[in-house]
Amino acid sequence: MTKINQLELKKAQLNQWIRKQAEKMGFDLVGIVPADPPKLIDRYREWLNLGYAGEMEYLHRHFPLKQDPKNLLPEVKSVISLGLNYYTVEPDAVRKLDPTRGQISRYAWGEDYHDVIRKRLKRLVKKIEKRLKRETKSRVFVDSGPILERDYAQTAGLGWIGKNTNLINWQKGSWYFLAEILISLDLGADVLPARGSCGSCTLCIEACPTDAIVAPNQVDARSCISYLTVELKEAIPMDLRPGLGNLIFGCDICQEVCPWNTKSQPTSVKEFQPRKGNLLPKLADLIGITQNEFSQKFKGSPIKRTKRRGLLRNVVVAMGNSKDPSMVEPLQSAILDVEPLVRQHAAWALGQIATPLAETILKKKLQNEKNIEVIIEIESALQIIESENIKD
């Protein structure tokens, strides 16, 4: 056997060993590819240029870093791409029909996945170094790093990027967190043969309440409920609010309707099991939560990303969408909130419910409100109620 063949054999053996170690740690998907520039960088550039990133300015700032993994780690030679299942079965799905309860995306039911996965990635790097009896140069990323993770996962054969832009695995669906290890080892490539496709299916496109999937494989974040409830820090556009329904953090609709997810199996990761209060919480119970209570309740949870003002903004929108008169009383508290953003959306919500009490609350608040955005929302809500009264 030549030296070249021996070297390739050692690469293949190490590659397979890494895969087995990752699987022992609970990773469901593992693939290794050379650290080449991402294949979809031009498509990503076009997506940014179309303005589909909305107010996520950091995506524009990070674009130069995403063009080549060597911009993140000059010594990198391989990318280890991994997927960890987070699918958790909802124990009482019928409650989703109750509009007075809020829906939270599955990925945020449990502990913050960034922390959970990052620890596993660092452990895997340590295992690799122990086997080789030397240190390596490496960096680990979990969703928040400037790397086109779905690009590398697709290249590694972990699945294909579906029409809803999620990575879909033909055997296991799309309920996966993706992560990467950039490492200074030439591991060659151990790519699984790619299988499956979306074919002619358009269920995700049709199911999106805000029509955010503007074309196959292309999402306009500015209309996406996940963006609106998590990334957007200011007011949710009025015309998009009805589409949120009772979704108060993230959205799973395009994954829930995906036929490939009928194969999904529940995760074995205990940290992803629902925290108390995160599964279909009563909307009224979240109104009045103080900053200190918010910080304590959502410590170590992805939900903390919205901050208190963002979560309550989402909650009062869901209250308005419920059209339930029982929501007027908690909204009376919300329209007095210290945050103008919350008061603004509470005014809209009262206009959607449009009871005599809602009208009284709005008129009273209009007398002493100083914030111009809130005043505009109150006046708009009163106009809606007036038009409803004329119809009656």
Side-chain angles (χ1 to χ4, degrees), residues 87-99 101-103 106 109 246 256 279-280:
Y87 180 69
T88 308
V89 177
E90 193 169 332
D92 190 6
V94 69
R95 288 193 297 164
K96 291 175 69 173
L97 300 176
D98 183 352
R101 291 180 178 270
Q103 286 192 67
R106 269 186 177 83
W109 286 359
N246 66 339
E256 288 173 343
L279 191 61
L280 296 166

Side-chain angles (χ1 to χ4, degrees), residues 235-243 344 348 352 376-377 380-381 384:
I236 297 172
M238 202 175 293
D239 62 317
L240 294 176
R241 294 174 194 173
Q344 180 180 352
W348 176 85
Q352 298 302 299
I376 292 171
E377 290 273 4
S380 174
I384 291 172

